[in-house]
Amino acid sequence: MITYETMDQSEINEVNNALEGKSARDVIRWSYDNYGDDLVYACSFGVEGIVLIDLISKTKPDATIIFLDTDFHFKETYDLIDKVKERYPTLNIKMIRPKWTPEEQAQQEGDRLWETNPDRCCSIRKLEPLENELQQYQAWMSGLRREQSPSRQNTQFVNVDNRFSSVKICPLIHWTWDDIWMYVEAFNLPYNTLHDQNYPSIGCMQCTAAVLDGDDLRSGRWSGQGKTECGLHK
């Protein structure tokens, strides 16, 4: 098993070379063969996440999936999570919460922190909870795709994650936006209805806007803030 403590870049390159040309399901199967219950999927429940959940369920029906519940998500997101729990009852879906409620955060950091210091808000409500949770696992899975943004174009199937001192596995790196939706339609998967309203990337309510046709898929995240990532994938 490749671990953060023992791996080096040459070993990562060797694994990625061996996985080159494999399907997403092949990569998922390799991941659980190697890590088993030491692998967790951190899911935002965007449409990529729904595809990955379906693929995971076909390989490991009792896999653990975590959702960073910032307390600021859209109602449509919470409704979708309920539908996914109903469709995949054997999956272990855990809602991970920040150390502070929104009211406590306002008391400690000031009101509307997402406007005054969005990086700090993301750190409190997403990065710190994920960091604490990932300490229990050797590796984590993500639905990153190379097509999503320029910052993700060099993502590999298996990656060194120095931010969380972990191994990060991304089975969907070669999938296009059209591939994702073809899969959703083929298997009649539930998805966040905000996708039908020009929200290709969905995060917290305060920091997510609809995008114009032709814009970057993540252009609606932190619009006007000069920010495109919450920090989970830097």
Side-chain angles (χ1 to χ4, degrees):
M1 183 199 311
I2 299 174
T3 68
Y4 182 81
E5 292 76 17
T6 62
M7 67 184 175
D8 58 36
Q9 191 59 53
S10 63
E11 188 176 15
I12 292 290
N13 292 341
E14 183 178 343
V15 170
N16 281 314
N17 288 337
L19 291 173
E20 185 62 34
K22 300 292 186 181
S23 69
R25 191 161 182 193
D26 289 333
V27 176
I28 292 168
R29 189 177 297 111
W30 174 91
S31 302
Y32 284 107
D33 285 346
N34 279 270
Y35 294 100
D37 291 333
D38 271 330
L39 172 65
V40 66
Y41 172 34
C43 182
S44 66
F45 285 85
V47 67
E48 292 93 348
I50 297 303
V51 169
L52 201 43
I53 284 174
D54 190 74
L55 290 168
I56 288 171
S57 73
K58 295 172 180 176
T59 300
K60 188 171 173 59
D62 63 344
T64 297
I65 295 170
I66 59 176
F67 173 69
L68 300 176
D69 185 1
T70 64
D71 296 303
F72 294 148
H73 289 287
F74 291 91
K75 178 182 183 298
E76 289 87 346
T77 302
Y78 293 112
D79 290 345
L80 174 62
I81 293 172
D82 289 339
K83 292 177 183 178
V84 170
K85 288 179 177 179
E86 182 177 350
R87 178 158 177 155
Y88 306 97
T90 62
L91 290 177
N92 178 26
I93 299 177
K94 300 170 61 178
M95 310 287 276
I96 307 301
R97 307 293 292 277
K99 62 182 178 181
W100 291 333
T101 65
E103 295 75 21
E104 290 169 336
Q105 176 173 298
Q107 291 172 357
Q108 296 291 331
E109 299 281 340
D111 196 24
R112 304 183 71 82
L113 184 63
W114 53 87
E115 292 180 353
T116 60
N117 192 342
D119 286 342
R120 176 62 177 155
C121 191
C122 287
S123 179
I124 293 169
R125 310 209 74 78
K126 297 182 76 173
L127 272 65
E128 292 174 11
L130 182 60
E131 184 173 28
N132 292 335
E133 187 68 18
L134 290 185
Q135 291 176 6
Q136 305 175 47
Y137 303 94
Q138 292 289 348
W140 67 294
M141 193 175 288
S142 171
L144 295 187
R145 298 183 299 109
R146 290 179 176 176
E147 184 191 60
Q148 286 172 322
S149 67
S151 64
R152 299 180 177 185
Q153 286 179 355
N154 295 321
T155 305
Q156 303 295 318
F157 283 133
V158 182
N159 305 268
V160 180
D161 187 346
N162 292 315
R163 171 61 183 83
F164 295 107
S165 300
S166 186
V167 177
K168 182 165 68 174
I169 301 168
C170 304
L172 300 180
I173 56 173
H174 297 307
W175 285 48
T176 66
W177 190 237
D178 287 343
D179 292 334
I180 293 292
W181 283 104
M182 286 175 61
Y183 188 95
V184 168
E185 292 169 6
F187 293 97
N188 194 29
L189 300 184
Y191 63 87
N192 195 318
T193 56
L194 289 173
H195 286 309
D196 295 330
Q197 302 173 44
N198 291 329
Y199 287 79
S201 178
I202 303 168
C204 296
M205 290 184 294
Q206 298 90 338
C207 302
T208 305
V211 305
L212 299 175
D213 290 341
D215 280 356
D216 185 285
L217 293 177
R218 291 184 60 81
S219 63
R221 303 293 296 277
W222 305 281
S223 181
Q225 295 277 7
K227 176 178 167 70
T228 58
E229 298 280 359
C230 64
L232 298 184
H233 304 296
K234 286 187 177 180

CSV table of all heavy atoms in Angstrom, one decimal, residues 47 50-52 54 87-88 183-191:
chain,number,residue,atom,x,y,z
A,47,VAL,N,-22.7,17.0,-9.6
A,47,VAL,CA,-23.1,15.9,-10.5
A,47,VAL,C,-21.9,14.9,-10.7
A,47,VAL,O,-22.1,13.7,-10.8
A,47,VAL,CB,-23.6,16.5,-11.8
A,47,VAL,CG1,-22.4,17.2,-12.6
A,47,VAL,CG2,-24.2,15.4,-12.6
A,50,ILE,N,-22.1,12.5,-7.8
A,50,ILE,CA,-23.2,11.5,-8.0
A,50,ILE,C,-22.7,10.4,-8.9
A,50,ILE,O,-23.0,9.2,-8.6
A,50,ILE,CB,-24.5,12.2,-8.6
A,50,ILE,CG1,-25.0,13.2,-7.6
A,50,ILE,CG2,-25.5,11.1,-8.9
A,50,ILE,CD1,-25.3,12.7,-6.2
A,51,VAL,N,-22.0,10.7,-9.9
A,51,VAL,CA,-21.5,9.6,-10.8
A,51,VAL,C,-20.5,8.8,-10.0
A,51,VAL,O,-20.5,7.5,-10.1
A,51,VAL,CB,-20.8,10.3,-12.0
A,51,VAL,CG1,-19.9,9.2,-12.8
A,51,VAL,CG2,-21.8,10.9,-13.0
A,52,LEU,N,-19.6,9.4,-9.3
A,52,LEU,CA,-18.6,8.7,-8.5
A,52,LEU,C,-19.2,7.8,-7.4
A,52,LEU,O,-18.8,6.7,-7.2
A,52,LEU,CB,-17.6,9.7,-7.9
A,52,LEU,CG,-16.2,9.1,-7.5
A,52,LEU,CD1,-15.6,8.2,-8.6
A,52,LEU,CD2,-15.3,10.3,-7.3
A,54,ASP,N,-22.2,6.4,-7.6
A,54,ASP,CA,-22.7,5.2,-8.3
A,54,ASP,C,-21.6,4.2,-8.7
A,54,ASP,O,-21.8,3.0,-8.5
A,54,ASP,CB,-23.5,5.7,-9.6
A,54,ASP,CG,-24.3,4.6,-10.2
A,54,ASP,OD1,-25.3,4.2,-9.6
A,54,ASP,OD2,-23.9,4.0,-11.2
A,87,ARG,N,-31.4,5.8,-2.1
A,87,ARG,CA,-31.0,5.0,-3.3
A,87,ARG,C,-29.9,4.0,-2.9
A,87,ARG,O,-29.8,2.9,-3.5
A,87,ARG,CB,-30.6,5.9,-4.5
A,87,ARG,CG,-30.2,5.1,-5.7
A,87,ARG,CD,-30.3,5.8,-7.0
A,87,ARG,NE,-29.9,5.1,-8.1
A,87,ARG,CZ,-30.3,5.3,-9.4
A,87,ARG,NH1,-31.2,6.2,-9.6
A,87,ARG,NH2,-29.8,4.6,-10.4
A,88,TYR,N,-29.0,4.4,-2.1
A,88,TYR,CA,-27.8,3.6,-1.7
A,88,TYR,C,-27.8,3.4,-0.2
A,88,TYR,O,-26.9,3.9,0.5
A,88,TYR,CB,-26.5,4.3,-2.2
A,88,TYR,CG,-26.5,4.7,-3.7
A,88,TYR,CD1,-26.8,6.0,-4.1
A,88,TYR,CD2,-26.2,3.7,-4.6
A,88,TYR,CE1,-26.8,6.3,-5.4
A,88,TYR,CE2,-26.1,4.1,-6.0
A,88,TYR,CZ,-26.4,5.4,-6.4
A,88,TYR,OH,-26.4,5.7,-7.7
A,183,TYR,N,-23.6,9.7,-18.4
A,183,TYR,CA,-23.7,8.6,-17.4
A,183,TYR,C,-25.0,8.8,-16.6
A,183,TYR,O,-25.7,7.9,-16.2
A,183,TYR,CB,-22.5,8.6,-16.6
A,183,TYR,CG,-22.4,7.4,-15.6
A,183,TYR,CD1,-21.7,6.3,-16.0
A,183,TYR,CD2,-23.0,7.5,-14.4
A,183,TYR,CE1,-21.6,5.2,-15.2
A,183,TYR,CE2,-22.9,6.4,-13.5
A,183,TYR,CZ,-22.2,5.2,-13.9
A,183,TYR,OH,-22.1,4.2,-13.1
A,184,VAL,N,-25.2,10.1,-16.1
A,184,VAL,CA,-26.4,10.4,-15.3
A,184,VAL,C,-27.6,10.0,-16.0
A,184,VAL,O,-28.5,9.3,-15.4
A,184,VAL,CB,-26.4,11.9,-14.9
A,184,VAL,CG1,-27.7,12.3,-14.3
A,184,VAL,CG2,-25.3,12.2,-14.0
A,185,GLU,N,-27.7,10.3,-17.3
A,185,GLU,CA,-29.0,10.0,-18.0
A,185,GLU,C,-29.1,8.5,-18.3
A,185,GLU,O,-30.2,7.9,-18.2
A,185,GLU,CB,-28.9,10.7,-19.3
A,185,GLU,CG,-29.1,12.2,-19.2
A,185,GLU,CD,-28.8,13.0,-20.4
A,185,GLU,OE1,-28.6,12.4,-21.5
A,185,GLU,OE2,-28.8,14.3,-20.4
A,186,ALA,N,-28.0,7.8,-18.5
A,186,ALA,CA,-28.0,6.4,-18.8
A,186,ALA,C,-28.5,5.6,-17.6
A,186,ALA,O,-29.2,4.6,-17.8
A,186,ALA,CB,-26.6,5.9,-19.2
A,187,PHE,N,-28.1,6.0,-16.4
A,187,PHE,CA,-28.5,5.3,-15.2
A,187,PHE,C,-29.6,6.0,-14.4
A,187,PHE,O,-29.9,5.6,-13.2
A,187,PHE,CB,-27.3,5.0,-14.4
A,187,PHE,CG,-26.3,4.0,-15.0
A,187,PHE,CD1,-25.2,4.5,-15.7
A,187,PHE,CD2,-26.5,2.7,-15.0
A,187,PHE,CE1,-24.3,3.7,-16.4
A,187,PHE,CE2,-25.6,1.8,-15.6
A,187,PHE,CZ,-24.5,2.3,-16.3
A,188,ASN,N,-30.1,7.0,-14.9
A,188,ASN,CA,-31.2,7.8,-14.3
A,188,ASN,C,-30.9,8.1,-12.9
A,188,ASN,O,-31.6,7.9,-11.9
A,188,ASN,CB,-32.5,6.9,-14.3
A,188,ASN,CG,-33.7,7.7,-13.9
A,188,ASN,OD1,-33.8,8.9,-14.2
A,188,ASN,ND2,-34.7,7.1,-13.4
A,189,LEU,N,-29.7,8.8,-12.7
A,189,LEU,CA,-29.2,9.1,-11.4
A,189,LEU,C,-29.9,10.4,-10.9
A,189,LEU,O,-30.1,11.3,-11.7
A,189,LEU,CB,-27.7,9.3,-11.4
A,189,LEU,CG,-26.9,8.1,-11.8
A,189,LEU,CD1,-25.4,8.4,-11.7
A,189,LEU,CD2,-27.2,6.9,-11.0
A,190,PRO,N,-30.1,10.6,-9.6
A,190,PRO,CA,-30.6,11.8,-9.0
A,190,PRO,C,-29.4,12.8,-9.1
A,190,PRO,O,-28.3,12.5,-9.1
A,190,PRO,CB,-30.9,11.5,-7.6
A,190,PRO,CG,-30.0,10.3,-7.3
A,190,PRO,CD,-29.9,9.6,-8.5
A,191,TYR,N,-29.8,14.1,-9.2
A,191,TYR,CA,-28.7,15.2,-9.2
A,191,TYR,C,-29.3,16.4,-8.6
A,191,TYR,O,-30.6,16.6,-8.5
A,191,TYR,CB,-28.1,15.4,-10.6
A,191,TYR,CG,-29.1,15.9,-11.6
A,191,TYR,CD1,-29.3,17.2,-11.8
A,191,TYR,CD2,-29.8,15.0,-12.5
A,191,TYR,CE1,-30.2,17.7,-12.8
A,191,TYR,CE2,-30.6,15.4,-13.4
A,191,TYR,CZ,-30.9,16.8,-13.6
A,191,TYR,OH,-31.7,17.2,-14.5
